[in-house]
Amino acid sequence: MESRLRVQGNPIQPMLVMFPFGLFVSAAVFDLVDVVGGPAFLGEVGYWTAAAALTAAALTTVAGMVDLWDVRAGRTRRTAVTFNLVNAVMAALFLLACLIRADSPQRGATGALLATELVALAVGGFGVALGTRLMRQFDRSPVEASGFEALHGVAGSTVEI
């Protein structure tokens, strides 16, 4: 697969995936501490961390959709579509938790919201496994040319930073 969005020859989307996942994990940790009796402000920190993760997930999804555009039908495309859907389900579960918490004054977590976040992280763990499989499939591609030689092998436009 030839990614259209690249930074110094490396696809952007695999790099971006770790930001929302790490922020989702951090939000769940903050909420866990809040639920078990930690300082109340950690619930609000968890809420805003989840909100930042949702923003990062939206940007990652855009990059994933741009890359998915050129994947040929077959096993790799099915894995890529499943990967994006799994990540969307994880983000949707966190979005649900954020929407429920948005009206509360301190935006603290409850046991049920924490359970929702933990289920979302389990779904995200499956997404990480799919992402690993995707990267192994993409790494089997031939080594890319550099410089002017690279212009001959790329079909369509690319964004290189």
Side-chain angles (χ1 to χ4, degrees):
M1 179 185 124
E2 184 69 30
S3 175
R4 290 184 181 260
L5 302 174
R6 304 173 83 68
V7 172
Q8 294 192 1
N10 298 308
I12 290 176
Q13 203 257 351
M15 290 184 262
L16 292 178
V17 167
M18 290 299 113
F19 286 108
F21 192 75
L23 287 168
F24 284 138
V25 170
S26 297
V29 169
F30 287 130
D31 290 341
L32 174 66
V33 173
D34 180 39
V35 168
V36 298
F41 76 91
L42 288 180
E44 188 161 354
V45 171
Y47 170 80
W48 289 110
T49 304
L54 288 169
T55 303
L59 295 173
T60 302
T61 300
V62 169
M65 290 296 115
V66 168
D67 284 348
L68 186 62
W69 190 265
D70 290 332
V71 178
R72 290 186 210 133
R75 179 178 173 219
T76 303
R77 184 170 183 86
R78 283 190 305 273
T79 305
V81 168
T82 305
F83 172 72
N84 286 314
L85 288 174
V86 165
N87 287 332
V89 168
M90 177 181 63
L93 288 171
F94 269 96
L95 177 63
L96 175 67
C98 282
L99 290 175
I100 291 171
R101 294 165 69 175
D103 287 336
S104 66
Q106 290 188 328
R107 296 186 175 96
T110 63
L113 290 175
L114 179 62
T116 302
E117 291 175 352
L118 293 176
V119 168
L121 289 177
V123 169
F126 179 64
V128 168
L130 285 173
T132 302
R133 183 183 310 165
L134 271 175
M135 289 311 299
R136 286 186 184 140
Q137 289 174 2
F138 293 152
D139 280 345
R140 292 185 190 141
S141 63
V143 176
E144 294 181 9
S146 61
F148 290 114
E149 298 87 28
L151 296 176
H152 297 291
V154 178
S157 62
T158 61
V159 177
E160 182 77 32
I161 297 175

